[in-house]
Amino acid sequence: KKPMSAETDPIATKNAIESSIEKLEKLSKQYSLSEAERDRRMRKLIAQVCDWVDSIDHVDAESKARAASWKGRAYSKLAEYTPEAEDFLTKAIKLEPALVEAWNSLGAEYWKKKDLKAAGDCFRGALEQKKNKVSLRKLSMVVRNHGDPKTYRKRVAESVDLAKKALVLDVKDGESWYVLGNAYMMQFFTSFSTDDLEGCLKAYETAEKSPIDSASKNPDLYYNRANVHKFYEQYQKAIDDYKKSRSLDPHLPAQDEIENIHRFVKKLSKLIATKNGIKAKRRLKLKELIPETSQIREAERREFVDLKQGPNKGSFLVGVVISPVTRTWDSPVSFIVMDKNTDMFVLSIYGVVSSLQSDLKMGDVIYINQPVLKQISVNEFKERVYPCVSVGNAANISVNGKPLPKKAFANPSVKVSTFSTSFAKESKVTQKAKSKMIS
């Protein structure tokens, strides 16, 4: 509804402009709409905002700056970069450098333009004017995505620190908790520390429940958390979160991920149940490759049947590699292994390069120190269960009596294609890309 004319009621017009910019923000998150329909509705509202702005007399530098800021902020709500947003916001800042919202909106526009250096400069510029949570959390995103790869660890640590500073300003802000969760997730992929993983999941949970800017309607929170669960082979938890993300944004490839998990669990459970199709005579020959006695300092040898669910501290297993396990996602690197009793299980190793799958051959003797045992299943196929032994520290693996070579250890990083990467919600895959996972 059009407000009263600016001449008779300028305050009503200004309120309508701010209200419409808020509506644009909400409209940008209506993922149930097609990308084209959402863009059409937003552009119609942007045109209305610009008409209202033009209906006000702008006689001095301050009012002209505000007018440019309104137009720029309206255009900046669009999913893709627009030169109109950059031009209006640049003009606003030149006329009035104290406009923090203009700085933040311009930084977001440069992010969409993939000019991360300029984006970071804008958020720092905003912080020079006023310490605020929006600039801090957006700068958190920039620092871990822009810079020398050699400084990645340091930049990720800075990213976590900036997100925490945003929360100091407003501990109830769900968006800031969500950004902290993403920062912890990236730090986890540099450290493989369970503390970082726990920090990530706790931050996501708090973001979901926060009373201010709750992330409970943010599909990327659930998508990213599902990817974390999938990484740790907590497949049912991953499926549950993929379903939540799909219900909020049908354009995400969540259903594809669910189907991939279902196929994977069915395949692995069948391979283990059928002894990987290896006949008894061949299994006996492979069994003979396993030494009768072996020692690892401060650990006692166990057979697979002796393991308890969960961590088995002070224990180690010895088996032979049967075959690599292939999946549609990278981590962890897994093999089917057989022990002295010809029991087979899946071995998942974290923190190693995927080429290890081709380096280890059938019949290689593998020593597994500090094994963690879990049973893998999903609700869809409860009868399909397979045992999995995981090793979080690849230094606890040796092959044919030798530790894994240095080249087998993965550099601490995570593919940008793995998690969602949008800016507004820190993690929106473009609807055209359809492949997802954060930076």
Side-chain angles (χ1 to χ4, degrees), residues 200-212:
C200 165
L201 295 176
K202 285 180 180 178
Y204 281 159
E205 182 180 1
T206 308
E208 187 179 0
K209 297 177 179 178
S210 293
I212 299 173

Side-chain angles (χ1 to χ4, degrees), residues 78-96:
L78 291 168
E80 305 296 333
Y81 163 83
T82 64
E84 293 92 342
E86 181 181 349
D87 292 344
F88 282 127
L89 292 166
T90 301
K91 179 181 178 181
I93 290 168
K94 286 181 178 178
L95 290 169
E96 181 48 78

Side-chain angles (χ1 to χ4, degrees), residues 122-354:
C122 287
F123 301 132
R124 292 184 181 94
L127 290 168
E128 288 176 5
Q129 301 301 321
K130 181 182 178 181
K131 196 172 183 180
N132 68 94
K133 63 184 180 182
V134 175
S135 300
L136 286 167
R137 69 192 182 209
K138 290 188 174 182
L139 188 58
S140 167
M141 295 159 55
V142 170
V143 296
R144 68 169 172 267
N145 283 283
H146 177 68
D148 187 339
K150 294 179 181 178
T151 66
Y152 184 68
R153 280 180 180 269
K154 181 180 178 181
R155 288 187 287 109
V156 170
E158 183 184 358
S159 173
V160 171
D161 185 58
L162 287 164
K164 287 181 177 179
K165 287 179 178 178
L167 282 164
V168 169
L169 297 178
D170 186 355
V171 73
K172 295 181 179 180
D173 188 283
E175 185 67 21
S176 295
W177 278 107
Y178 173 61
V179 172
L180 177 62
N182 286 345
Y184 267 131
M185 179 168 62
M186 291 301 98
Q187 185 156 274
F188 166 72
F189 283 106
T190 71
S191 67
F192 295 107
S193 164
T194 54
D195 289 342
D196 289 329
L197 180 65
E198 289 174 5
C200 165
L201 295 176
K202 285 180 180 178
Y204 281 159
E205 182 180 1
T206 308
E208 187 179 0
K209 297 177 179 178
S210 293
I212 299 173
D213 286 337
S214 170
S216 62
K217 300 299 183 183
N218 182 346
D220 291 331
L221 180 150
Y222 301 107
Y223 197 98
N224 286 347
R225 190 167 65 186
N227 285 327
V228 174
H229 289 316
K230 184 178 70 172
F231 178 86
Y232 261 94
E233 301 176 290
Q234 297 171 332
Y235 293 132
Q236 189 54 52
K237 288 184 178 181
I239 288 170
D240 291 343
D241 273 341
Y242 281 133
K243 287 180 177 178
K244 288 180 182 178
S245 72
R246 181 188 61 191
S247 69
L248 293 167
D249 185 354
H251 301 98
L252 295 180
Q255 186 59 37
D256 293 340
E257 296 292 346
I258 292 170
E259 291 173 2
N260 285 338
I261 291 173
H262 282 164
R263 282 193 292 269
F264 181 76
V265 172
K266 287 173 67 178
K267 179 185 76 173
L268 261 292
S269 60
K270 183 177 180 180
L271 287 174
I272 296 298
T274 60
K275 302 285 187 180
N276 206 50
I278 298 175
K279 294 182 179 180
K281 186 176 180 180
R282 177 63 170 150
R283 293 201 300 271
L284 290 174
K285 286 187 177 181
L286 288 167
K287 168 185 172 180
E288 292 171 0
L289 299 172
I290 302 174
E292 289 291 339
T293 60
S294 54
Q295 290 184 338
I296 292 180
R297 190 170 60 182
E298 298 181 357
E300 183 178 353
R301 180 170 172 175
R302 306 278 187 188
E303 297 304 326
F304 176 75
V305 72
D306 301 320
L307 295 183
K308 63 178 183 180
Q309 291 293 314
N312 287 264
K313 294 182 179 180
S315 301
F316 73 96
L317 274 173
V318 185
V320 288
V321 175
I322 298 300
S323 69
V325 172
T326 58
R327 64 182 103 211
T328 57
W329 55 95
D330 292 338
S331 295
V333 172
S334 300
F335 301 87
I336 293 177
V337 174
M338 186 184 77
D339 76 351
K340 195 71 176 175
N341 296 328
T342 71
D343 288 328
M344 291 192 186
F345 56 91
V346 174
L347 170 65
S348 291
I349 310 172
Y350 291 85
V352 292
V353 295
S354 58

Side-chain angles (χ1 to χ4, degrees), residues 413-425:
S413 65
V414 62
K415 286 188 175 182
V416 174
S417 62
T418 304
F419 298 97
S420 140
T421 52
S422 110
F423 197 74
K425 306 180 293 125

